[in-house]
Amino acid sequence: MTAISTSIFELLKIGPGPSSSHTIGPMRAGYDFMERIRELPESDRNRADGLEIRLFGSLSATGEGHGTPRAIMAGMLGQQPDTCRSDAMEQFCEKDRPFDLDMGCRKLAYRTGDIIFDAVQHDYPHSNTMIFRLKAGDDVLLERIYFSVGGGFLRWQGWEEPRRGEPVYPYETMAQLKDHLRQNSIRLHTLVLANEKSITGMCEAEIVEGLDRIVAVMENAVEQGIAAKGVLPGPIGLQRKANQMYKSAKKLEFQGSGFLRAINAYALAASEENATGHCVVTAPTCGAAGVIPAIIFMLKRHMGALQKEIRQGLLAAAAVGFLAKHNASISGAEVGCQGEVGVASSMAAALLSYARGHRFQVTENAAEIAMEHHLGLTCDPVGGFVQIPCIERNAMGAVKAYNAFLIASTLEESYQMVNLDKVFKAMAQTGRDMSRKYKETSLGGLALSVPEC
Ligand code: SF4
């Protein structure tokens, strides 16, 4: 194992929902493959007469409902997750409409409906596998096998870790991270910031700007979601709920149960925007994109938190997300929903504790408590749509994060018997033991017991 060298902006990425591994990763794959095509000799590009795209594993099982073909098409037509319009994928709903792909010297017509849903069970090293082939008759001119490994991260066969700077404070576990904090008498957000500068080469002003952009996209998703009414896209016909929940919170002037209703409303709002395919932030994934925005919105609107405190909280949350990704997983296809909403809740609890100025140990305890009570959570989206149980699950994750914060910040720190390293170890093992049915395949759980529409 090597020290964590993930950037904050790899973990917290802006992009279209509804599922980072099913939309952001595939959109990147589509974009990348067209770039590779344009690097081919012109003679090959002129010979090409077809494109073959095959989806495997969870991408095949739930890709339709998760919008994977639309995301690939948007990517092939030049869209990138962090810069695309919020509604970038909507124009690709028609499966039979051909679009002209730009190969540099000529165009190649391709339809979203041409994408092939291949085997759910396969031998590739990652569940979310995509094969792209540019063909001339039976000749394969270019082939690339991509893996969408969760949280919008994309790898491919032969992928090598890119060269990047070494972290100033290398760690793989929370225990090692804590040693750095103690030995250097620094605070958590300072450590994460120092590592980010060293790993990415960005200056502090650029990092701050990036963090503020992430917060703005999160707040925008909550605001848009609260304002929207009606039914979400897809055959389920699921009603949006955030607007109604928000109104009931407002009626109670956000006091008492009105406060909890507000947290629910904010998480529902961002999740409903995600389900619509609009832009959200992977926190740590699109499916779990409502939890952290709900806590940030609550902190800013109801607890008077300053932007600086939100930034510091986000850096603390990123440290928790790094540890989860490094030592377990943030992919529903690998470990079930404990790795998505569970990790989001853990990150949100850390963010809340840290932004409220609590000691580091309270932050770790809050993150551990939130994670512990998501262990074993399966991923079983009905019809492959990130709607049931995902949207309400985000609301539950946000409320659990708040409760974890209350427990951690009220009780003696020394009462805590489980630490963050232990809970991530348990999460990884639970994920390995979990049946494939419950890992984003829609072959078990609610996906079977609830009729689609
Ligand atoms: S159940 Fe959880 S892991 Fe599965 S798609 Fe929904 S949010 Fe993601």
Side-chain angles (χ1 to χ4, degrees):
M1 296 270 266
T2 49
I4 292 171
S5 62
T6 309
S7 158
I8 298 163
F9 304 106
E10 290 171 315
L11 185 73
L12 302 169
K13 291 184 296 300
I14 297 167
S19 161
S20 43
S21 52
H22 290 64
T23 48
I24 295 181
M27 184 182 272
R28 286 187 200 285
Y31 184 90
D32 181 77
F33 195 68
M34 290 311 299
E35 291 277 285
R36 306 280 158 186
I37 287 178
R38 287 189 283 270
E39 287 166 10
L40 288 174
E42 199 167 321
S43 54
D44 278 356
R45 285 180 279 158
N46 281 328
R47 276 178 65 210
D49 59 8
L51 186 61
E52 183 181 298
I53 302 175
R54 294 181 174 273
L55 307 181
F56 294 83
S58 163
L59 293 179
S60 176
T62 60
E64 185 70 50
H66 282 48
T68 304
R70 285 181 281 140
I72 288 175
M73 185 60 97
M76 288 197 298
L77 287 166
Q79 300 278 0
Q80 297 213 61
D82 49 347
T83 51
C84 71
R85 281 167 44 112
S86 193
D87 55 358
M89 291 170 18
E90 282 171 19
Q91 59 178 307
F92 307 117
C93 291
E94 286 177 56
K95 287 186 188 167
D96 293 329
R97 184 171 156 204
F99 287 91
D100 285 337
L101 304 178
D102 181 9
M103 297 204 296
C105 54
R106 55 176 278 246
K107 310 274 188 204
L108 182 71
Y110 195 71
R111 303 172 310 153
T112 313
D114 293 334
I115 293 174
I116 299 161
F117 293 92
D118 211 309
V120 174
Q121 307 268 1
H122 59 81
D123 294 328
Y124 293 105
H126 193 277
S127 168
N128 291 329
T129 296
M130 296 164 273
I131 297 183
F132 284 60
R133 292 188 183 111
L134 181 71
K135 297 176 83 174
D138 289 338
D139 291 352
V140 176
L141 303 172
L142 177 68
E143 178 184 89
R144 210 153 159 86
I145 302 176
Y146 294 100
F147 310 113
S148 183
V149 295
F153 288 91
L154 187 69
R155 306 284 185 259
W156 48 87
Q157 205 165 54
W159 179 88
E160 283 177 17
E161 184 80 37
R163 275 179 186 272
R164 53 177 72 205
E166 295 291 322
V168 182
Y169 303 104
Y171 65 92
E172 291 184 65
T173 62
M174 183 53 102
Q176 291 168 355
L177 192 155
K178 277 200 284 198
D179 283 345
H180 286 305
L181 297 180
R182 267 193 298 264
Q183 285 162 14
N184 298 285
S185 302
I186 53 169
R187 294 195 61 206
L188 178 59
H189 70 275
T190 310
L191 181 152
V192 177
L193 202 53
N195 277 0
E196 184 71 16
K197 284 196 258 184
S198 177
I199 290 165
T200 64
M202 292 167 84
C203 68
E204 187 163 333
E206 289 170 317
I207 296 169
V208 165
E209 194 185 319
L211 290 173
D212 286 352
R213 185 153 175 256
I214 283 167
V215 172
V217 172
M218 286 181 170
E219 287 184 278
N220 184 55
V222 174
E223 280 163 0
Q224 299 286 324
I226 284 173
K229 292 181 190 167
V231 174
L232 291 167
I236 300 175
L238 190 66
Q239 278 289 340
R240 282 180 178 263
K241 298 168 189 150
N243 180 275
Q244 198 178 358
M245 184 61 90
Y246 179 75
K247 279 184 184 156
S248 77
K250 201 171 171 191
K251 218 173 189 175
L252 294 168
E253 296 176 344
F254 306 108
Q255 301 299 313
S257 83
F259 183 72
L260 277 185
R261 287 176 205 220
I263 298 177
N264 278 288
Y266 302 151
L268 292 171
S271 298
E272 285 168 359
E273 282 302 284
N274 176 62
T276 310
H278 289 169
C279 274
V280 291
V281 178
T282 61
T285 64
C286 284
V291 179
I292 292 178
I295 295 300
I296 288 181
F297 215 78
M298 179 201 65
L299 270 164
K300 287 181 87 167
R301 303 294 157 105
H302 306 295
M303 296 173 89
L306 304 172
Q307 186 73 4
K308 183 181 160 198
E309 292 165 339
I310 299 291
R311 267 185 228 127
Q312 293 181 352
L314 206 48
L315 292 167
V320 172
F322 294 155
L323 288 164
K325 183 176 181 303
H326 194 76
N327 296 302
S329 171
I330 56 168
S331 166
E334 283 182 351
V335 294
C337 199
Q338 53 173 356
E340 295 205 9
V341 170
V343 172
S345 186
S346 180
M347 291 169 69
L351 189 158
L352 179 51
S353 306
Y354 203 75
R356 297 310 287 164
H358 286 282
R359 282 164 48 84
F360 172 78
Q361 196 53 55
V362 173
T363 300
E364 182 191 353
N365 290 354
E368 189 287 319
I369 293 166
M371 186 67 244
E372 182 178 322
H373 301 291
H374 283 93
L375 286 179
L377 194 62
T378 60
C379 169
D380 51 358
V382 174
F385 288 83
V386 190
Q387 298 183 5
I388 302 173
C390 319
I391 294 171
E392 285 180 5
R393 188 163 286 173
N394 273 260
M396 300 302 291
V399 170
K400 275 197 204 178
Y402 183 70
N403 209 34
F405 157 73
L406 287 182
I407 294 172
S409 59
T410 305
L411 300 179
E412 287 288 334
E413 292 162 21
S414 60
Y415 289 179
Q416 187 72 13
M417 299 295 289
V418 187
N419 64 36
L420 201 62
D421 289 331
K422 285 182 185 157
V423 82
F424 285 145
K425 196 173 169 196
M427 195 259 272
Q429 186 58 50
T430 307
R432 279 193 287 275
D433 292 343
M434 197 181 277
S435 162
R436 183 179 273 263
K437 284 195 291 188
Y438 303 114
K439 298 187 202 176
E440 215 169 352
T441 57
S442 290
L443 296 173
L446 279 174
L448 280 195
S449 61
V450 177
E452 229 174 87
C453 49

